[in-house]
Amino acid sequence: MYQVAHQALAGVGPLLDSLSQGRVPLYLGLPEAGLGARVEREALVAALLAETKGRLEVVKVHESGRAAFFEALASAQKDLHSGRSGALALVGAVDSMADSASLEALVEARLHLGRQNSDGRIPGEAAGFVALARPEAPKSLKLETTGVLLNTALAVEPRPFAQRGPSHAEGLTEVFHALRQDAVTGARRVDAVLACQPGESFWGTEFSRAYLRNTSLFPEPLRVRVAGEGLGDAGAGAGPVMLGVALHRARWRQDGARRALIYGSADSGRIGACVVEMIRSAKEEP
């Protein structure tokens, strides 16, 4: 898992080197307890801090799988608004189901996709980090802004996947409802929807039920891009990757299509979502 995080963290090295401020606060998302190898949290965090030569300071770690990145985003957003985290924070997540212990656990639980289980998941791994800053910070820090985090929403599903029973999608409905009722994110429909989920039918049913209760938030026609189609089940790591996909895709669509909703629902029932809007650079404007 460290190797995946190491590769992702290398991408923010130039950013950290360009900042004159002291240590940058880090909000980190990690795997949830359950399937997979046990995560040595302290060792992983220590390795990440050593990798950046003391430029990072861990503020909060969220161990909630596919919801972890969104919980980290919400924590960083709150601290930036209050001034606790200064002008800029780093938000990231890492997860892997590709090690032997995780693969064995997946097979033992009969959750892997195969000939005898067409409704299973493909194990994956991913990691990513994004810089989140206060509105006035990019100009003073001479940073290019690629998108705006409009809001986040969190909830807990009382009948999660881990219980192996039918879900009424109460948690995901709550998250979508919060975003729909918000003055900013609910002002108009989003242009794209991205899910951090693997490919099982459980997740499609969960989304469908929550969507039908909040249709005014979603685009028509509706198409959901699912992480499992390309990443497999990347757990917590799917969040930052799908955020990057959302902002990248927005640059190649029509002028008005810039807003995306991204969500992640963990096996244990923790759920998180955010709405982001792409910002074109001066070079891209007509």
Side-chain angles (χ1 to χ4, degrees):
M1 189 179 300
Y2 168 70
Q3 291 300 324
V4 182
H6 165 74
Q7 293 175 25
L9 200 56
V12 299
L15 168 67
L16 297 177
D17 292 340
S18 69
L19 298 176
S20 57
Q21 68 182 77
R23 291 188 294 177
V24 175
L26 171 65
Y27 299 78
L28 185 64
L30 292 177
E32 60 185 329
L35 287 176
R38 181 176 178 272
V39 177
E40 299 292 342
R41 168 176 163 173
E42 290 75 13
L44 177 61
V45 170
L48 295 179
L49 295 179
E51 180 72 23
T52 58
K53 300 177 181 179
R55 295 301 309 275
L56 294 178
E57 176 184 8
V58 177
V59 176
K60 197 163 187 179
V61 177
H62 298 268
E63 297 175 281
S64 49
R66 299 181 204 98
F69 177 68
F70 303 97
E71 293 181 356
L73 271 180
S75 295
Q77 183 184 36
K78 179 180 178 181
D79 288 351
L80 285 168
H81 283 167
S82 67
R84 178 186 175 188
S85 288
L88 181 142
L90 197 66
V91 184
V94 57
D95 206 337
S96 176
M97 292 292 291
D99 60 279
S100 58
S102 298
L103 294 174
E104 290 174 3
L106 202 65
V107 172
E108 185 177 347
R110 298 183 179 180
L111 291 176
H112 66 295
L113 180 66
R115 292 181 179 178
Q116 297 180 349
N117 183 18
S118 59
D119 190 23
R121 61 183 64 171
I122 300 173
E125 61 181 4
F129 294 88
V130 298
L132 190 65
R134 298 175 67 179
E136 69 279 5
K139 185 176 181 180
S140 61
L141 296 176
K142 298 180 180 180
L143 300 175
E144 179 183 355
T145 304
T146 58
V148 176
L149 175 65
L150 299 181
N151 210 346
T152 56
L154 307 173
V156 177
E157 170 56 49
R159 297 176 178 83
F161 178 87
Q163 292 185 3
R164 300 297 183 91
S167 169
H168 295 166
E170 296 171 41
L172 192 57
T173 296
E174 181 182 339
V175 163
F176 290 166
H177 181 266
L179 294 174
R180 180 167 62 87
Q181 293 297 313
D182 181 79
V184 178
T185 57
R188 71 172 183 85
R189 297 176 185 268
V190 297
D191 304 304
V193 182
L194 296 91
C196 299
Q197 306 309 114
E200 294 115 327
S201 59
F202 177 94
W203 308 111
T205 300
E206 178 186 58
F207 174 81
S208 296
R209 289 174 173 169
Y211 157 73
L212 289 172
R213 298 164 184 156
N214 296 278
T215 55
S216 63
L217 179 65
F218 295 91
E220 294 294 347
L222 173 67
R223 181 183 180 187
V224 182
R225 296 190 172 272
V226 181
E229 296 175 352
L231 288 175
D233 184 10
V241 172
M242 297 307 277
L243 174 59
V245 170
L247 295 176
H248 176 74
R249 279 184 52 78
R251 295 183 181 279
W252 303 101
R253 300 185 66 188
Q254 59 268 31
D255 291 340
R258 302 184 180 186
R259 184 173 293 194
L261 183 152
I262 309 140
Y263 81 92
S265 180
D267 288 358
S268 63
R270 302 274 281 276
I271 299 174
C274 70
V275 175
V276 297
E277 191 162 284
M278 186 272 290
I279 295 178
R280 293 188 185 278
S281 66
K283 296 179 180 179
E284 293 174 309
E285 293 292 354

